[in-house]
Amino acid sequence: IAGITQAPTSQILAAGRRMTLRCTQDMRHNAMYWYRQDLGLGLRLIHYSNTAGTTGKGEVPDGYSVSRANTDDFPLTLASAVPSQTSVYFCASSEASGSFEQFFGPGTRLTVL
Amino acid sequence: GQNIDQPTEMTATEGAIVQINCTYQTSGFNGLFWYQQHAGEAPTFLSYNVLDGLEEKGRFSSFLSRSKGYSYLLLKELQMKDSASYLCAVRDGDYKLSFGAGTTVTVRA
């Protein structure tokens, strides 16, 4: 693994189904983030984690949950998907010092029907 | 809340210069980032300003005025590969970034 990986690359999901988007980083970054990107709205923060064992809510957290059991993994779960959650989801990570530059994963394109 | 504004679209000719402006009103300020995002790809880091002034990195430069809540990204000697979206983002206090909606730059031959 080099950098940040996300899985799946894309997914079509029926409304009401549960879905977990996976994110793994190998840079030993303390902080990790989940964003959604929608046309005309830019990147919006869903949830974040400053360090393993802690999480926080971002700008648009409703309908999503996260966990941070260890440094490397930060899964995002949609408990009961709705069509408005159709989006491209990016995971990112950063050091907990310096500029806090964020490195992004390749994204997951999710369609909820 | 956070308010970060940048133009939606800009078009320029290959070899020219384009300046992308970003204005922000945020509850705190701990640095401003510019990211480049090609269609269908992840954002990649371009520049970071935390103090007033100009930061130059090859063909790209970024400027910051904290008192005016203003930044710009200057792209010189435009190439076709510079066609992308450019995202302005502000770190307001801790680890989190707030992003503008992005500026799509189209470079024409």
Side-chain angles (χ1 to χ4, degrees):
Chain A
I1 298 177
I4 302 181
T5 59
Q6 292 184 235
T9 302
S10 65
Q11 182 76 45
I12 299 174
L13 190 67
R17 297 296 296 269
R18 180 184 179 89
M19 176 73 192
T20 295
L21 307 185
R22 299 184 298 279
C23 174
T24 299
Q25 55 106 357
D26 66 354
M27 296 178 282
R28 307 303 294 172
H29 285 166
N30 282 326
M32 297 186 75
Y33 316 83
W34 273 106
Y35 294 91
R36 59 178 290 173
Q37 188 173 37
D38 303 289
L39 197 62
L41 295 178
L43 285 159
R44 293 182 291 167
L45 183 66
I46 304 170
H47 284 287
Y48 66 96
S49 169
N50 290 341
T51 189
T54 68
T55 62
K57 294 181 179 180
E59 181 184 353
V60 288
D62 294 343
Y64 305 95
S65 63
V66 291
S67 62
R68 187 86 184 278
N70 57 61
T71 298
D72 299 343
D73 301 300
F74 191 42
L76 176 74
T77 297
L78 289 68
S80 179
V82 295
S84 62
Q85 291 178 311
T86 293
S87 188
V88 180
Y89 292 85
F90 287 101
C91 179
S93 71
S94 73
E95 294 279 6
S97 62
S99 71
F100 299 87
E101 173 193 342
Q102 292 188 13
F103 296 82
F104 286 81
T108 293
R109 184 174 294 277
L110 182 67
T111 302
V112 183
L113 301 176
Chain B
Q2 321 293 44
N3 189 21
I4 300 170
D5 290 320
Q6 50 182 130
T8 303
E9 295 179 338
M10 302 183 74
T11 301
T13 305
E14 196 173 15
I17 298 173
V18 69
Q19 177 175 315
I20 307 169
N21 296 323
C22 172
T23 58
Y24 62 90
Q25 291 177 308
T26 57
S27 55
F29 183 83
N30 273 291
L32 187 142
F33 293 80
W34 285 95
Y35 281 83
Q36 181 189 58
Q37 185 177 26
H38 285 100
E41 298 182 8
T44 56
F45 170 80
L46 282 179
S47 69
Y48 170 67
N49 295 69
V50 66
L51 299 176
D52 291 351
L54 188 68
E55 293 281 342
E56 297 187 87
K57 191 183 291 186
R59 294 188 297 113
F60 294 0
S61 303
S62 57
F63 171 83
L64 175 67
S65 170
R66 289 172 295 171
S67 63
K68 295 182 179 178
Y70 168 71
S71 173
Y72 68 72
L73 179 70
L74 195 69
L75 315 180
K76 294 176 280 189
E77 301 171 17
L78 278 173
Q79 302 176 8
M80 299 300 288
K81 67 179 182 180
D82 297 329
S83 291
S85 286
Y86 292 85
L87 314 178
C88 174
V90 174
R91 184 160 74 88
D92 61 4
D94 49 15
Y95 301 79
K96 302 190 296 291
L97 295 181
S98 295
F99 283 83
T103 300
T104 299
V105 172
T106 301
V107 181
R108 294 183 173 168

